[in-house]
Amino acid sequence: MATVPSRTPRLSFRVWRPDDFALARSLWGCADVMAFTGGALDDEQLRHRLQQEHHNLATHGTQYFVLERTAASPLTSRDTTQQEGEGVVFVGCCGLRRDASGESGSFELGFYLLPAFWGQGLAGEAALSALAWAFRPRDDGGLGACKVVAGHHPRNEASAKVITQQLRLRHVGEVLYPPTNLLHPTYSVTQAEFLGQTI
């Protein structure tokens, strides 16, 4: 059974399931959510994206995990349409995938939240848990990463604040992101740096 990042005060993580297509469409098919990453995905692209998430989990032990509201958590939503049943609310996704550089032990952090949950500190809350899990040894239920990288669209100020202020990743340069054809600011943190911040 796959391990996932630890619960936070307001959120829990789980893997994508075969019947989650409607949730994926509400997230990656949303123009507002995807405004800085190349635009909303159509149904064919969504199916491919979900297949890729399943592949990443099977191959590397990680994916951009589903984020849900923790039961009875003090979470505000301006949209109550994304109910999963039994009081569980779909918030978005957060997790890691293998770094495109192919460097051993290096993973890329990412997060997407539905617009109804923007501005509540949830991206940082989820990402901190994902980082802690990434650097935890595999024999302790973690990913065993040596380094984590992250990036954002140059005009995405909200993601920039999460990455630089809440996660405190170091700016290491700019990388061309093909879906936008722009140079995206890129950041990094090693296991030693992260553990030094959290001691």
Side-chain angles (χ1 to χ4, degrees):
M1 182 177 179
T3 62
V4 301
S6 299
R7 281 176 177 259
T8 73
R10 297 179 290 177
L11 300 167
S12 60
F13 297 76
R14 69 165 175 83
V15 301
W16 287 96
R17 297 189 295 243
D19 60 349
D20 281 334
F21 185 80
L23 299 182
R25 178 189 279 155
S26 72
L27 184 68
W28 293 315
C30 174
D32 289 337
V33 172
M34 302 297 286
F36 291 125
T37 56
L41 304 186
D42 61 29
D43 282 2
E44 182 177 353
Q45 292 170 319
L46 286 166
R47 282 188 284 271
H48 176 74
R49 178 63 190 255
L50 283 174
Q51 289 172 357
Q52 190 63 50
E53 296 297 339
H54 295 312
H55 171 78
N56 289 344
L57 185 66
T59 306
H60 304 298
T62 185
Q63 61 177 206
Y64 283 13
F65 299 102
V66 171
L67 280 178
E68 297 173 327
R69 182 180 66 188
T70 304
S73 65
L75 189 61
T76 300
S77 171
R78 296 180 293 277
D79 178 5
T80 59
T81 62
Q82 301 303 326
Q83 300 289 333
E84 291 189 69
E86 299 300 322
V88 177
V89 177
F90 176 64
V91 173
C93 69
C94 176
L96 302 106
R97 62 187 177 195
R98 283 299 302 271
D99 181 6
S101 71
E103 181 180 346
S104 178
S106 182
F107 292 83
E108 180 181 351
L109 173 73
F111 45 84
Y112 295 84
L113 267 62
L114 292 171
F117 300 103
W118 293 355
Q120 300 179 46
L122 296 174
E125 184 176 315
L128 278 172
S129 180
L131 271 180
W133 174 77
F135 289 127
R136 193 183 310 150
R138 284 188 177 270
D139 60 8
D140 191 27
L143 190 56
C146 298
K147 182 177 77 172
V148 170
V149 300
H152 63 81
H153 190 286
R155 295 198 304 273
N156 191 341
E157 296 179 1
S159 288
K161 288 180 180 179
V162 170
I163 293 169
T164 61
Q165 297 180 18
Q166 291 183 263
L167 306 182
R168 293 186 288 177
L169 272 63
R170 291 179 292 107
H171 180 250
V172 294
E174 282 73 35
V175 173
L176 180 65
Y177 185 61
T180 63
N181 200 33
L182 293 172
L183 291 172
H184 283 208
T186 304
Y187 308 81
S188 174
V189 63
T190 65
Q191 181 188 49
E193 289 168 340
F194 180 77
L195 294 178
Q197 292 173 4
T198 55
I199 291 176

